[in-house]
Amino acid sequence: MIKICKFGGSSVATADQFRKVKSIVESDPDRRFVVVSAVGRRFSGDNKITDLLLLVNAHVEYHVDCTSLLADIERRFVDIADELGVTWPVAERFETFAANIKKHSPEYVVSRGEWFTAHIMAEYLGLPFVDAADVIVFHHDGNVDMERTAARLRDFAHRNGAFVLPGFYGATVDGAIKLFQRGGGDITGAIAARCLDADVYENWTDVSGFLSADPRVIESPRSIRRITFDEMRELSYMGASVLQEEAIFPVREVNIPIKILNTNRPQDAGTTIRETAESDADEHLITGIAGRKDFLAVHVKKAHMSNEVGVISRALSIFERYGVSIEHIPTGVDSFGVVVAAADVKDKIYSIVNDVRREIKPDDIAMVDKLALISVVGRNMSRRSGTSGKIFGALGDAGINIRMITQSSEEISIIVGVDNTDFERAIKVIYERFVRNEMVSAERA
């Protein structure tokens, strides 16, 4: 069995965290391929190494001395290496890097967080180091050349049987360092899993997988043991994210499951993400609840709209003209709404509304602001009749006014819009009615 194990920055923030990683890797002989992010925060308010290197770039760009900043970064790496007894010459290599800081590209500078972390981890684990610049190949358009990347990774894995690979970066065919977007370590791990035909992609972080609700709103919410890729996308979109969303695509296409696991609690089951989740006796109606505040809806009403071609598309083109992303489009026979993030239209909403009036000529147009959207996600909801009505009924019984309703085409999520002031209470009502009650019933059984 092949397991690709990616350890995030929170998992390698201190020497003690490195020891936990070693214990996890050595506990399973199938964990031979390791991907690491740069050293993360040691405590609340601390800085990630990646953020410090971004700051180094800013200093260089504006001709501000960054000697002390580089010294702080070096000390973080040296302290970890010294405590672990690593002999790789961290200080010497870092001083060479720092001495040539103005000659390096910004992307090269930022990538060194992963590069130094992976070198330390490789010696500590006793595994070969492979530079991502040598195996992760980017086209010049920014997309990964999966064919060349797979060939290089497979060749290294075949010759060495194991590796530690820095995440977050690769290189173009001419050798220039190229970064993924933030969270790119997750993507690197997914690419490695796909290229090596892994049986599972383990993503180790500081949480034990997905939770069924935000713990800041619900005390001790139920953990999600199994979730589909579609459900994960729905919850992540609404903010319940423990994994970089783009990381699912390389493995989803070849049906490799992802396991979200906790470095600090390796005994926890975590969450398994796959294309379909096998059903069993303890299948839940609702997988999770997530939401966000501060949306704005523009409601347009126009008689006989259904007989007029292109009304909605013309309205959407207006929003597109102003560079505004559309969140949802609830529709009726003679009306529709356009829901957007309020921050995206802060300085242009009145111009947009005026353009809609002029170009669409609606009978009425109204705005609803301070709107919160709550997504109730569950692959089993479509199989059980009356779920939507029960959700709306529970909110109505609690005196919560529903401002908007929409459902995904896959029928795995129901989104309700409520006032910002009702956001937390609405989540609690839904959780208590559908999740907590189900848990209590299961315990009694």
Side-chain angles (χ1 to χ4, degrees):
M1 177 177 281
I2 296 176
K3 295 182 178 180
I4 302 298
C5 304
K6 186 266 176 178
F7 293 92
S10 60
S11 301
V12 290
T14 64
D16 186 52
Q17 291 294 102
F18 273 70
R19 294 187 184 100
K20 291 178 181 178
V21 169
K22 185 172 186 176
S23 175
I24 290 167
V25 171
E26 292 183 343
S27 70
D28 187 341
D30 293 326
R31 293 180 177 136
R32 307 187 307 276
F33 301 104
V34 176
V35 178
V36 294
S37 294
V39 167
R41 295 189 183 96
R42 296 161 293 183
F43 46 81
S44 177
D46 193 22
N47 292 306
K48 299 177 181 178
I49 289 294
T50 297
D51 291 333
L52 293 176
L53 290 169
L54 287 166
L55 189 57
V56 167
N57 277 334
H59 279 59
V60 172
E61 180 181 359
Y62 291 101
H63 308 290
V64 177
D65 181 67
C66 58
T67 304
S68 62
L69 180 57
L70 286 167
D72 288 342
I73 298 170
E74 178 185 357
R75 177 48 50 194
R76 291 274 293 274
F77 286 125
V78 169
D79 284 348
I80 291 172
D82 286 349
E83 189 172 340
L84 297 175
V86 168
T87 60
W88 185 72
V90 179
E92 179 183 331
R93 296 297 179 87
F94 195 93
E95 286 163 12
T96 300
F97 160 67
N100 296 282
I101 196 69
K102 294 181 181 179
K103 299 178 182 179
H104 301 310
S105 72
E107 292 191 275
Y108 180 93
V109 170
V110 175
S111 73
R112 296 307 89 179
E114 275 74 11
W115 190 82
F116 277 98
T117 304
H119 266 292
I120 296 170
M121 183 66 78
E123 180 180 328
Y124 185 59
L125 295 180
L127 299 178
F129 168 86
V130 56
D131 193 345
D134 294 332
V135 292
I136 305 294
V137 184
F138 281 91
H139 293 295
H140 285 289
D141 64 3
N143 293 315
V144 174
D145 185 332
M146 292 299 295
E147 187 176 345
R148 292 189 185 187
T149 297
R152 295 184 183 190
L153 276 171
R154 288 168 183 167
D155 178 64
F156 190 93
H158 177 73
R159 287 186 288 108
N160 296 276
F163 60 60
V164 173
L165 171 71
F168 192 34
Y169 74 94
T172 60
V173 290
D174 57 5
I177 295 294
K178 176 74 177 174
L179 300 179
F180 289 102
Q181 58 188 293
R182 290 301 292 265
D186 291 344
I187 301 174
T188 304
I191 289 171
R194 174 174 178 155
C195 291
L196 296 181
D197 299 319
D199 296 280
V200 64
Y201 169 30
E202 294 184 345
N203 191 288
W204 292 84
T205 179
D206 57 355
V207 294
S208 298
F210 278 85
L211 298 174
S212 54
D214 189 336
R216 294 170 296 184
V217 178
I218 301 296
E219 184 178 355
S220 301
R222 184 190 68 204
S223 297
I224 300 173
R225 294 286 298 276
R226 297 179 305 279
I227 189 172
T228 66
F229 286 118
D230 285 335
E231 289 175 305
M232 192 215 81
R233 288 277 290 169
E234 293 282 346
L235 290 172
S236 295
Y237 184 73
M238 281 296 185
S241 181
V242 296
L243 179 73
Q244 218 288 341
E245 287 185 61
E246 295 300 313
I248 74 170
F249 295 109
V251 293
R252 180 177 189 174
E253 292 170 355
V254 291
N255 200 30
I256 296 172
I258 302 173
K259 291 203 73 171
I260 307 297
L261 297 162
N262 190 341
T263 311
N264 299 312
R265 293 184 56 84
Q267 71 275 15
D268 289 355
T271 299
T272 299
I273 313 168
R274 60 194 324 152
E275 187 64 31
T276 58
E278 296 178 2
S279 60
D280 59 25
D282 67 347
E283 277 286 273
H284 304 295
L285 173 62
I286 290 176
T287 302
I289 307 163
R292 290 186 285 152
K293 292 182 179 180
D294 298 320
F295 290 92
L296 180 147
V298 177
H299 294 291
V300 178
K301 185 175 182 180
K302 185 178 175 68
H304 308 296
M305 186 186 78
S306 58
N307 298 325
E308 184 178 341
V309 176
V311 174
I312 296 178
S313 65
R314 293 203 305 274
L316 297 183
S317 69
I318 294 170
F319 284 86
E320 181 181 0
R321 193 159 67 221
Y322 283 90
V324 177
S325 176
I326 308 298
E327 303 286 342
H328 295 283
I329 313 169
T331 61
V333 176
D334 291 323
S335 65
F336 65 92
V338 180
V339 181
V340 298
D344 291 348
V345 294
K346 181 180 179 182
D347 300 319
K348 42 196 166 186
I349 186 59
Y350 293 107
S351 297
I352 291 172
V353 169
N354 286 335
D355 286 1
V356 172
R357 287 187 191 279
R358 185 178 63 254
E359 299 178 31
I360 306 300
K361 296 180 174 55
D363 297 326
D364 185 51
I365 184 168
M367 285 190 300
V368 176
D369 63 355
K370 299 180 180 178
L371 185 69
L373 299 184
I374 298 170
S375 182
V376 184
V377 177
R379 57 186 175 272
N380 294 311
M381 292 194 299
S382 63
R383 304 175 195 166
R384 303 189 196 179
S385 60
T387 301
S388 299
K390 291 175 183 176
I391 292 172
F392 306 148
L395 293 173
D397 291 343
I400 297 172
N401 186 28
I402 299 176
R403 310 299 300 273
M404 188 198 84
I405 300 168
T406 186
Q407 187 171 17
S408 70
S409 58
E410 296 89 355
E411 298 185 19
I412 64 167
S413 72
I414 297 168
I415 296 173
V416 295
V418 300
D419 292 328
N420 272 349
T421 53
D422 287 328
F423 177 69
E424 286 84 2
R425 191 160 66 95
I427 291 177
K428 290 176 181 178
V429 166
I430 298 170
Y431 188 88
E432 291 297 325
R433 172 67 177 79
F434 294 94
V435 181
R436 191 84 71 189
N437 285 354
E438 192 178 68
M439 293 168 65
V440 171
S441 298
E443 289 173 359
R444 289 174 178 170

